[in-house]
């Protein structure tokens, strides 16, 4: 019987679409000082690219892989970091704290 076969866990179900990439590109072009941070795949989501502007404003979208995120960043001449190595920047935390109070 096949009832107890292990299934590969669905890690979110999709990767970046053309619209996702266009949205990220617009975010980078319309804000200053944007840096990219690659968030690793989890059991819930695929790899994500977190973009953070100079003032801490941010957005996040799924990416196919860490390599795809790096290629995206290099194409836009944007700095990119691995969040597992550098952590979340303070400006991101400050932005979230400011908006939480509102």
């Amino acid at each position: 019987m096949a009832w107890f076969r292990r299934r590969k866990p669905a890690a979110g179900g999709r990767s970046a679409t053309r619209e996702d990439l266009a949205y990220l590109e617009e975010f980078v072009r319309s804000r200053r000082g944007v840096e990219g941070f690659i968030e690793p795949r989890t059991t819930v989501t695929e790899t994500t690219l977190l973009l953070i502007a100079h003032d801490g404003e941010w957005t996040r979208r799924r990416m196919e892989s860490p390599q795809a995120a790096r290629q995206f960043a290099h194409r836009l001449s944007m700095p990119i970091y691995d969040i597992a190595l550098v952590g979340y920047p303070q400006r991101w935390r400050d932005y979230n704290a400011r908006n939480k109070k509102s």
Side-chain angles (χ1 to χ4, degrees):
M1 286 196 202
W3 292 346
F4 298 107
R5 276 194 203 148
R6 286 188 165 251
R7 295 178 97 186
K8 209 173 184 185
R14 70 173 183 91
S15 60
T17 64
R18 205 178 316 222
E19 291 81 18
D20 290 335
L21 296 177
Y23 173 79
L24 291 174
E25 229 173 283
E26 178 57 30
F27 186 90
V28 171
R29 295 187 195 292
S30 63
R31 288 155 181 86
R32 99 184 139 87
V34 177
E35 295 177 321
F37 296 86
I38 300 170
E39 295 176 309
R41 180 180 181 193
T42 67
T43 57
V44 179
T45 62
E46 296 293 333
T47 299
T48 54
L49 176 60
L50 176 66
L51 300 181
I52 304 175
H54 79 285
D55 62 352
E57 182 182 3
W58 61 274
T59 190
R60 172 189 288 128
R61 292 291 185 273
R62 294 177 191 177
M63 296 300 282
E64 199 172 302
S65 66
Q67 185 58 30
R70 284 185 195 90
Q71 289 172 349
F72 175 82
H74 292 305
R75 185 168 55 83
L76 297 176
S77 300
M78 176 182 64
I80 189 154
Y81 308 98
D82 186 335
I83 206 80
L85 298 176
V86 299
Y88 291 91
Q90 188 61 45
R91 69 180 184 276
W92 179 78
R93 296 172 198 277
D94 295 342
Y95 180 86
N96 288 334
R98 282 192 309 269
N99 288 329
K100 191 175 187 177
K101 293 176 185 174
S102 302

